[in-house]
C-alpha cells in the first residue's frame, strides 16, 4: 500500500494550482496527482480559449467575482516570472441594438461594483481602441483583459510540482473508494490523508462515488473557434458581443491569442457525451442516455431561454453560419480569411436536476476526508491561482 498526505484527482488547471498551493502551505507533505490521461491538461484546461478575464461579468457576492480579479493578477505574475507568453491586449464589448446597449450599462454597473477597471466609450473612442470594431452608439472597454498560453501554463505548473517532489500517476483508468481514506488505483491500493477531486467534466460522478448526494449533473457544451492565422497583428483587442445574460454565456468574440493569431468563436452547443469532441467520438451508452435526457429536459422546461439559445447555436455550426452571426462585431467581417476550425473544447456546465437551471458559480463540497470541486465553470482558468489558495485555506 502506498501512502500520501494528499491525493489530487485531475490534472487540469485546478488540480495543478491546488497542488502548488498545498506544497506552499505544507512543503513537507507527500502528494500524488492522479490523471486518467497520458499527461496534464488534455481536456478543458489544455483546450481553453486562453482569454484572461478581468471580472466584469460576475455577481458581486459570487465566488467568481471574489477570485477572478485576484486570480488574473496572480496568473499574469506567474507568466511574467516564468517567461510564458501573454498578450495584454484589452477587450471591447459592443452592442448591436438599443436592447444590447442596456446590457452594456448593466455590465458597467456590475464591473464598478466589483471594482474592475472599465470605461464606457463612444464610437469615436472605440475606433481609436479597435478600428475593426463596430457598435450601436456605445461600447464597453476593459483594458485588463488579456490572452494567455493555457497549455504553456499547465506544463510549467507540472514542472514546478515535479521539482517539489509531487508524484504523478498518469493513464489511471481505475479509481474506486475502498473506505474513507483508501482508494484502489491502477497501481494498487493508495492510502491518503485528504483527497481533492478536481476531475472537471467527471467531478460530479467521482463526488457521488465518494458518497455525496448530489442533485446536479454536469452537462457538456462543445465550443470551437475559426482561425485566421494569416492576419497576425491585424486585431488589437478582443471584440465581444453583449453577453447572453439569461444563460450566463459570454457569446461569440473575435480575439487575438497570446501570439496575435486571430480566432472567431466559440460555438456553445450541448453535445452527446462528456468527451464528445467529434461527431461520434467517445460515446458511452449510459452516459449518452443520461446527458441527452437531461438536455431534452432543458429544452422542455426552457429555463433562461434555452430553446432560443439552441436555435442560435445550430445556425453557428457551419463556418458561414458562425461568420454571419459575428458580422455585427466588426465593420467588415470579410477582411478576415478564416481558413479552418481550431481545437474543439468542451465546457462542463452544472445542471440543477430539481429546478432545471444551470449553476453559475464555483461549487465546493466535502465529505469525510475528501474535497470535491463540483463546478469549476468559466472563468476557472483565470481564477485558478486565487481559487486554489481559497480551497487549501478553507478546506484543508
Amino acid at each position: 500500500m502506498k501512502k500520501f498526505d494528499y491525493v489530487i484527482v485531475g490534472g487540469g488547471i485546478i488540480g495543478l494550482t491546488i497542488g502548488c498551493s498545498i506544497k506552499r502551505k505544507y512543503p513537507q507533505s507527500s502528494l500524488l496527482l492522479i490523471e486518467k490521461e497520458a499527461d496534464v491538461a488534455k481536456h478543458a484546461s489544455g483546450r481553453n480559449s486562453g482569454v484572461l478575464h478581468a471580472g466584469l461579468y460576475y455577481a458581486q457576492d459570487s465566488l467568481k467575482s471574489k477570485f477572478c480579479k485576484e486570480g488574473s493578477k496572480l496568473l499574469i505574475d506567474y507568466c511574467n516570472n516564468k517567461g510564458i507568453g501573454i498578450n495584454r491586449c484589452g477587450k471591447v464589448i459592443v452592442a448591436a441594438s438599443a436592447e444590447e446597449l442596456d446590457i452594456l450599462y448593466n455590465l458597467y454597473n456590475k464591473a464598478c461594483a466589483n471594482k474592475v477597471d472599465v470605461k464606457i466609450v463612444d464610437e469615436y473612442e472605440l475606433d481609436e481602441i479597435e478600428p475593426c470594431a463596430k457598435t450601436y452608439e456605445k461600447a464597453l472597454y476593459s483594458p485588463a483583459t488579456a490572452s494567455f498560453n493555457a497549455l504553456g501554463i499547465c506544463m510549467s505548473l507540472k514542472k514546478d510540482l515535479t521539482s517539489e517532489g509531487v508524484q504523478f500517476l498518469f493513464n489511471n483508468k481505475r479509481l474506486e473508494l475502498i473506505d474513507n481514506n483508501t482508494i484502489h488505483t491502477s497501481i494498487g491500493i493508495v492510502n491518503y490523508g485528504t483527497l481533492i477531486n478536481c476531475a472537471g467534466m467527471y467531478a460530479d460522478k467521482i463526488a457521488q462515488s465518494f458518497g455525496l448526494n448530489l442533485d446536479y449533473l454536469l452537462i457538456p457544451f462543445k465550443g470551437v473557434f475559426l482561425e485566421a492565422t494569416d492576419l497576425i497583428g491585424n486585431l488589437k483587442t478582443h471584440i465581444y458581443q453583449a453577453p447572453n445574460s439569461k444563460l450566463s454565456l459570454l457569446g461569440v468574440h473575435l480575439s487575438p491569442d497570446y501570439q496575435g493569431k486571430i480566432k472567431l468563436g466559440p460555438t456553445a452547443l450541448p453535445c452527446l457525451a462528456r468527451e464528445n469532441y467529434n461527431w461520434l467520438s467517445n460515446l458511452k451508452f449510459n452516459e449518452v442516455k443520461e446527458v441527452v435526457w437531461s438536455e431534452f429536459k432543458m429544452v422542455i422546461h426552457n429555463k433562461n431561454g434555452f430553446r432560443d439559445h439552441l436555435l442560435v447555436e445550430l445556425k453557428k455550426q457551419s463556418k458561414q453560419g458562425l461568420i454571419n452571426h459575428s458580422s455585427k462585431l466588426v465593420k467588415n467581417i470579410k477582411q478576415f480569411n478564416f481558413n479552418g476550425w481550431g481545437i474543439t473544447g468542451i465546457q462542463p456546465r452544472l445542471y440543477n436536476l430539481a429546478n432545471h437551471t444551470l449553476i453559475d458559480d464555483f461549487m465546493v463540497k466535502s465529505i469525510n476526508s475528501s474535497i470535491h470541486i463540483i463546478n469549476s465553470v468559466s472563468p476557472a482558468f483565470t481564477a485558478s491561482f486565487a481559487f486554489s489558495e481559497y480551497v487549501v485555506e478553507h478546506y484543508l
Side-chain angles (χ1 to χ4, degrees), residues 299-314:
V299 172
I300 295 299
H301 291 279
N302 197 33
K303 293 292 181 72
N304 306 116
F306 184 74
R307 282 183 216 149
D308 291 339
H309 167 76
L310 202 58
L311 290 173
V312 170
E313 285 302 317
L314 288 170

Side-chain angles (χ1 to χ4, degrees), residues 288-302:
V288 171
K289 182 173 67 172
E290 181 181 51
V291 167
V292 172
W293 174 241
S294 297
E295 291 168 352
F296 176 73
K297 288 191 289 185
M298 291 172 72
V299 172
I300 295 299
H301 291 279
N302 197 33

Side-chain angles (χ1 to χ4, degrees), residues 198-213:
C198 309
M201 195 74 245
Y202 286 95
D204 57 338
K205 294 302 183 184
I206 289 177
Q208 288 170 340
S209 74
F210 275 69
L212 271 175
N213 184 20

Side-chain angles (χ1 to χ4, degrees), residues 122-137:
D122 60 27
E123 292 172 274
Y124 300 102
E125 292 171 299
L126 175 63
D127 193 59
E128 292 181 357
I129 296 166
E130 177 47 73
C132 293
K134 71 175 180 181
T135 195
Y136 176 84
E137 295 185 358

Side-chain angles (χ1 to χ4, degrees), residues 219-275:
I219 300 292
F221 280 70
K222 185 184 297 185
V224 63
F225 286 86
L226 283 171
E227 296 180 337
T229 53
D230 59 331
L231 283 170
I232 294 174
N234 283 24
L235 191 70
K236 294 166 63 178
T237 68
H238 297 281
I239 306 174
Y240 272 66
Q241 69 179 75
N244 180 338
S245 56
K246 293 180 180 179
L247 280 175
S248 300
L249 294 170
L250 303 190
V252 165
H253 48 99
L254 189 65
S255 292
D257 72 5
Y258 71 98
Q259 296 175 311
K261 296 179 181 178
I262 298 170
K263 58 186 180 182
L264 174 68
T267 58
L269 186 70
C271 50
L272 299 176
R274 296 177 185 233
E275 295 176 0

Side-chain angles (χ1 to χ4, degrees), residues 332-352:
N332 180 18
I333 194 70
K334 293 181 179 179
Q335 70 177 294
F336 300 99
N337 180 26
F338 296 105
N339 48 23
W341 296 100
I343 297 172
T344 302
I346 292 179
Q347 180 186 143
R349 297 299 305 270
L350 192 63
Y351 175 55
N352 188 319

Side-chain angles (χ1 to χ4, degrees), residues 38-59:
D39 207 341
V40 300
K42 288 295 185 182
H43 293 288
S45 296
R47 298 165 179 262
N48 191 275
S49 67
V51 177
L52 185 75
H53 297 285
L56 60 156
Y57 294 99
Y58 316 117

